[in-house]
Amino acid sequence: MLSIEDNKMLIETGANTPMGKLFRRYWIPALLSEELPAPDCPPVRVTLLGEKLVAFRDSNNQIGLLDEHCPHRKASLFFGRNEEGGLRCVYHGWKFDACGKCVDMPSEPPESNFKNKVTIKSYPCQEYGGIIWTYMGPPDEMPDQPVFEFTLVPPSHRYFSRRIQESNYFQAIEGGIDSSHISFLHRRVHENPTPTQLAVENGAPKFEVTKTDYGLLIGARRDTKEENIYWRITQFVMPWYALIPPTTNNSKLRTGHAWVPMDDENCWHWTFSWIPESPIKEADLAKMKEGDHELHAALIPGTLRPVQNKDNNYLIDRELQASKKNYSGIKGIGIQDAAVQESAGVIVDRSKERLGTSDAAIIVARRVMLNAAQGLENGVNPPGLDVEQLKVRAASVMLPRGVPFQEGASELLKLNEDDFVYSY
Ligand code: FES
Ligand SMILES: [Fe+2]
């Protein structure tokens, strides 16, 4: 439970709010590189932290991220012409470069120097790991760019997607770090269950949550019928990332998420899938691209809204639900998450909830976020800006009884960047 004031601080992300100021101190995943596939390709609209923006790739491959609205009379630059090193408004021809400088103003007389006085809001961008990142904070506070395992693997080893989630970002984070719901929402029937699958069915894990320099290390412990304990270890990395443990010990596919606020009622749900050691198999990749995959949902063509959405009850199949093969009757782990998280309302009133012991991780995560935002208001630098601290992994592992998970899994939880030396 949170007070109404704390809930407000947690969910509001506009430029003048404490959480909005906090988020503007981090690099933000803004778009997939493939959304701007070539120089001078059509621009793309993207709303981030309540700001309507338009992204484009100029003739020199430089990425620009500008205010969506032209400073002249506010027409949308989404309709702009992306040509010869800038984005030109189609209303009266004003043209802006990737840094937001007005470089042409054909509607004014040639002798006018008005164009030198006009700029448009622009944010710096970087492109690496298949992602276009932006920084929307004070220029002199810009941190180094974050390095995650999924940004280090070759393109053949990874598949990323982003889609709209119609809820406040923090509901999505809460789902991402809540390891107990996998025993219910994502339950599947296994014909010959392995010890870990049986353990996953234990719906009342005990949580051990450790605060770290970058966020939280979250151990969810489930007893098994054997000597060992099954640990699922999730990493929460400030300000909105979760690295999710594989469901079984031998699964090579790794999963990470980012939940980036579009505005206070919607967020970008990013899913990062990657295999550190090898390319993703063609058949799996095809399923991901088609949206016929547990984690990568099919989208309505031309939009980033899932085909399964709240207007059609996520295409819930009551017969499937009754058959017990699928606990929720909703297809796809990612959409199962979206369904329950969106169904709580676009903004949950956390002053009215009833939390239990399995909510331990989200209780600490809320505190970490609120303390970071409050700390920044008091001049304390936020956690998770030192890229060296971000070199971590999630893990699922069987450990002998009595061994603390932080020690037993310590090697599995480290990311060794040197393992990823390769050339594109
Ligand atoms: S509104 Fe863009 S040039 Fe006039
Ligand atoms: Fe989930």
Side-chain angles (χ1 to χ4, degrees):
M1 186 174 142
L2 279 186
S3 67
I4 288 171
E5 296 72 33
D6 279 354
N7 200 37
K8 184 171 154 62
M9 190 191 283
L10 191 67
I11 55 108
E12 288 183 350
T13 63
N16 296 319
T17 64
M19 202 58 75
K21 287 187 236 171
L22 178 74
F23 288 157
R24 284 166 175 79
R25 297 293 293 273
Y26 297 85
W27 282 93
I28 302 169
L31 298 119
L32 293 159
S33 285
E34 68 200 35
E35 291 178 79
L36 294 175
D40 294 339
C41 64
V44 171
R45 282 192 187 102
V46 57
T47 301
L48 292 170
L49 307 181
E51 299 186 31
K52 290 187 171 191
L53 305 168
V54 62
F56 69 106
R57 189 186 291 275
D58 78 7
S59 319
N60 305 314
N61 224 11
Q62 194 181 343
I63 306 291
L65 184 62
L66 309 179
D67 189 346
E68 182 184 339
H69 295 284
C70 175
H72 180 215
R73 298 231 313 268
K74 302 296 173 189
S76 172
L77 288 170
F78 168 76
F79 299 104
R81 302 173 63 90
N82 184 10
E83 57 189 16
E84 294 162 350
L87 190 60
R88 191 184 288 281
C89 179
V90 290
Y91 203 174
H92 311 93
W94 292 21
K95 179 176 173 183
F96 303 92
D97 71 10
C99 300
K101 210 169 118 201
C102 184
V103 290
D104 194 17
M105 198 179 269
S107 60
E108 292 295 307
E111 63 278 13
S112 163
N113 72 347
F114 186 33
K115 87 166 160 41
N116 301 335
K117 297 181 185 155
V118 173
T119 55
I120 187 167
K121 180 170 70 181
S122 80
Y123 292 116
C125 294
Q126 291 284 343
E127 186 175 17
Y128 60 95
I131 297 168
I132 293 166
W133 304 75
T134 191
Y135 175 74
M136 295 170 65
D140 50 352
E141 300 287 357
M142 186 190 282
D144 291 338
Q145 293 139 24
V147 173
F148 294 100
E149 187 174 29
F150 56 80
T151 66
L152 296 173
V153 298
S156 56
H157 296 214
R158 67 181 190 225
Y159 181 77
F160 305 158
S161 66
R162 72 178 185 117
R163 64 172 164 82
I164 293 171
Q165 172 153 331
E166 294 168 76
S167 78
N168 181 260
Y169 79 100
F170 203 74
Q171 280 155 241
I173 290 183
E174 288 177 331
I177 61 172
D178 156 25
S179 198
S180 74
H181 79 273
I182 61 159
S183 308
F184 306 101
L185 182 65
H186 306 316
R187 180 180 294 178
R188 264 172 282 182
V189 176
H190 299 282
E191 285 186 359
N192 297 303
T194 63
T196 53
Q197 283 159 349
L198 281 174
V200 165
E201 283 170 22
N202 172 353
K206 295 202 174 52
F207 279 85
E208 290 185 21
V209 187
T210 309
K211 285 189 200 168
T212 64
D213 295 332
Y214 54 83
L216 295 174
L217 182 60
I218 302 162
R221 171 203 154 119
R222 289 171 165 91
D223 285 334
T224 67
K225 295 203 174 85
E226 301 180 351
E227 259 311 280
N228 290 332
I229 302 282
Y230 177 55
W231 286 96
R232 290 178 54 75
I233 308 165
T234 304
Q235 300 275 8
F236 171 61
V237 179
M238 288 289 288
W240 43 48
Y241 302 96
L243 304 177
I244 309 294
T247 309
T248 58
N249 285 336
N250 53 14
S251 169
K252 287 185 171 174
L253 191 70
R254 298 198 149 253
T255 307
H257 294 291
W259 295 281
V260 179
M262 290 175 72
D263 51 34
D264 295 344
E265 300 190 341
N266 299 278
C267 64
W268 296 114
H269 174 110
W270 285 80
T271 300
F272 311 106
S273 294
W274 74 101
I275 300 179
E277 310 82 5
S278 57
I280 298 178
K281 284 195 197 111
E282 247 171 60
D284 294 339
L285 194 61
K287 282 188 169 236
M288 290 175 184
K289 286 183 176 167
E290 282 162 23
D292 179 22
H293 184 271
E294 289 289 354
L295 298 172
H296 299 278
L299 303 177
I300 297 170
T303 78
L304 292 171
R305 192 180 193 217
V307 171
Q308 295 166 267
N309 59 54
K310 64 180 178 188
D311 294 342
N312 55 29
N313 291 320
Y314 311 89
L315 302 176
I316 186 170
D317 178 341
R318 295 290 185 184
E319 276 179 32
L320 183 64
Q321 189 180 45
S323 75
K324 298 202 172 75
K325 283 189 193 136
N326 172 320
Y327 194 80
S328 65
I330 294 169
K331 263 190 78 184
I333 289 175
I335 295 296
Q336 290 162 5
D337 284 326
V340 293
Q341 292 161 14
E342 292 178 356
S343 74
V346 286
I347 296 174
V348 168
D349 180 353
R350 293 181 177 79
S351 70
K352 298 214 167 84
E353 63 192 1
R354 304 290 302 273
L355 300 183
T357 53
S358 69
D359 300 305
I362 67 166
I363 293 168
V364 185
R366 292 172 182 181
R367 236 352 101 194
V368 165
M369 297 288 285
L370 290 169
N371 287 348
Q374 195 62 62
L376 185 60
E377 293 286 285
N378 299 328
V380 181
N381 263 337
L385 291 179
D386 178 351
V387 295
E388 284 306 310
Q389 295 164 350
L390 308 184
K391 294 176 184 170
V392 293
R393 306 179 92 191
S396 57
V397 63
M398 289 282 195
L399 292 175
R401 238 163 253 277
V403 174
F405 82 89
Q406 297 91 336
E407 286 170 28
S410 66
E411 282 309 305
L412 295 174
L413 296 172
K414 276 189 218 150
L415 173 65
N416 187 356
E417 206 179 335
D418 296 339
D419 293 346
F420 294 93
V421 179
Y422 69 92
S423 53
Y424 283 98

